[in-house]
Amino acid sequence: MSSSLMKNDPGHLFLVPTPLDFGCAESSPITDVLPQATLKTASEIRHWVCENAKSTRAFLKRVNEIHPLAVPLSEQTITELPRHVHKKGDHQSGFDGKPLLSAALDGHHVGLLSEAGMPAVADPGSSVVRAAHDLNLKVVPLVGPVSLLLALAASGLNGQNFAFVGYLPQDTAERAARVKQLENLAQRTGQTQLWIETPYRNAAMLSTLVQGLQGSTRLAIASGLTLATANIQSHSVGQWKKGIKGPDGHTPAVYAIGP
C-alpha cells in the first residue's frame, strides 16, 4: 500500500474490484483486468467484508499467484454481509455496517469485496461504505472493471445522461410494464436506461424487449465483458426482431435502451 499506518491510527476501507468472470464458463488472466497496484493492495489486506466468502477465497487465491498474500488464506478474516442485505439492497435496508469495521478502528485495513466488479455498484456494500464515512474512516476505491460503464461506453447510447435501474420484475406482465415505462422515460428525456439480469432469464428478457419496445428504440446488450468471448451488440429493436441472437443462459449481461 502507498502508506503505512502509525500505531493507533484507524485503518482504511478499500473498495476492491474483482474480475467480471464470476460464474462464467471461462476466465481471463487477472492481470488483464486488474492493475498491479490493485492486486498488490489486495494482497496486503487481512480483513475482508464480502458478498460471498467462497468467491472471496477464490479471488485471493488468484491474487496470491501474482502477489503473495501477507498472511495465508487460512488466517484471513472474512466476514459475509448478511443475506437479507443482499435481498433488500443495503442502500435502503437500514443495516448498520459499523460492527463490520471494528478491525479498521483497531488499526487494520479492511477490504470490501463483491463477487464481480466494483463493490457497492450494482452489488451490496453501500451500507459498509456509509458506515466507514460515519466512523471517519478513509474510503479508498481501487481501479478495476465496472460492467455498467463498459457496457454503456460500448452501446452507442447517451453516455452523458443515464440511469441504472437494477433488476426488472420477474413476473412477465410486470416486466413488460416496466420496460414500457423505461422506454417512455428514455424517449422523453434522452436518458439511457441500464439494468442487469440473472443469466438464466436472458431469453425471457430479450423476448419481452423485442415484443414490447418500439421498433425505433435502440437496444444494446453486453455479455461476457472483459472475456475473449465478450458479445456486445447495439441495434434498433426492429433489427433485433429479425432474429439477432442474444446472450446465452449462463453469461451475465447488461441491458441498455435509448432513443
Side-chain angles (χ1 to χ4, degrees):
M1 299 178 191
S2 59
S3 62
S4 59
L5 293 174
M6 298 294 290
K7 189 175 181 180
N8 297 324
D9 281 351
H12 304 160
L13 176 64
F14 285 91
L15 312 185
V16 183
T18 56
L20 300 178
D21 53 26
F22 174 78
C24 296
E26 63 171 308
S27 61
S28 297
I30 197 169
T31 51
D32 284 0
V33 293
L34 292 177
Q36 288 291 340
T38 293
L39 294 169
K40 183 68 166 58
T41 298
S43 74
E44 297 175 357
I45 296 173
R46 307 178 184 197
H47 298 267
W48 296 91
V49 177
C50 66
E51 184 177 1
N52 182 279
K54 182 178 180 180
S55 61
T56 294
R57 294 187 187 95
F59 168 71
L60 291 175
K61 287 180 181 178
R62 295 173 73 176
V63 171
N64 187 59
E65 294 173 356
I66 310 300
H67 292 286
L69 300 178
V71 298
L73 190 57
S74 60
E75 298 177 20
Q76 301 274 338
T77 301
I78 300 174
T79 304
E80 290 185 341
L81 286 164
R83 185 167 180 79
H84 75 269
V85 171
H86 300 191
K87 294 296 183 182
K88 294 182 179 179
D90 61 347
H91 58 288
Q92 61 182 8
S93 66
F95 175 71
D96 182 7
K98 293 186 184 72
L100 301 179
L101 296 170
S102 59
L105 296 176
D106 290 337
H108 304 283
H109 291 314
V110 175
L112 178 63
L113 208 67
S114 67
E115 291 187 315
M118 180 65 74
V121 178
D123 267 319
S126 60
S127 60
V128 180
V129 177
R130 275 199 311 277
H133 287 297
D134 291 344
L135 292 170
N136 293 317
L137 300 176
K138 185 175 182 179
V139 176
V140 185
L142 300 180
V143 175
V146 180
S147 62
L148 302 178
L149 295 183
L150 293 172
L152 177 63
S155 70
L157 293 167
N158 187 356
Q160 311 303 315
N161 184 7
F162 57 91
F164 172 62
V165 298
Y167 287 94
L168 270 55
Q170 295 183 33
D171 177 80
T172 302
E174 292 179 3
R175 183 171 61 240
R178 179 62 169 148
V179 163
K180 288 301 296 182
Q181 181 185 52
L182 294 174
E183 181 183 44
N184 290 337
L185 178 61
Q187 296 288 356
R188 187 175 72 253
T189 65
Q191 183 183 70
T192 300
Q193 305 297 310
L194 299 103
W195 65 91
I196 53 180
E197 184 52 278
T198 301
Y200 69 85
R201 287 199 290 266
N202 279 334
M205 176 60 70
L206 182 57
S207 176
T208 296
L209 295 172
V210 169
Q211 293 176 28
L213 293 173
Q214 300 176 29
S216 60
T217 295
R218 181 168 286 269
L219 165 63
I221 306 176
S223 61
L225 289 165
T226 73
L227 299 176
T229 54
N231 186 16
I232 305 171
Q233 300 188 77
S234 180
H235 309 285
S236 70
V237 171
Q239 291 174 300
W240 280 99
K241 286 181 177 180
K242 295 178 181 178
I244 297 174
K245 188 176 180 181
D248 59 40
H250 57 266
T251 305
V254 178
Y255 295 78
I257 59 173

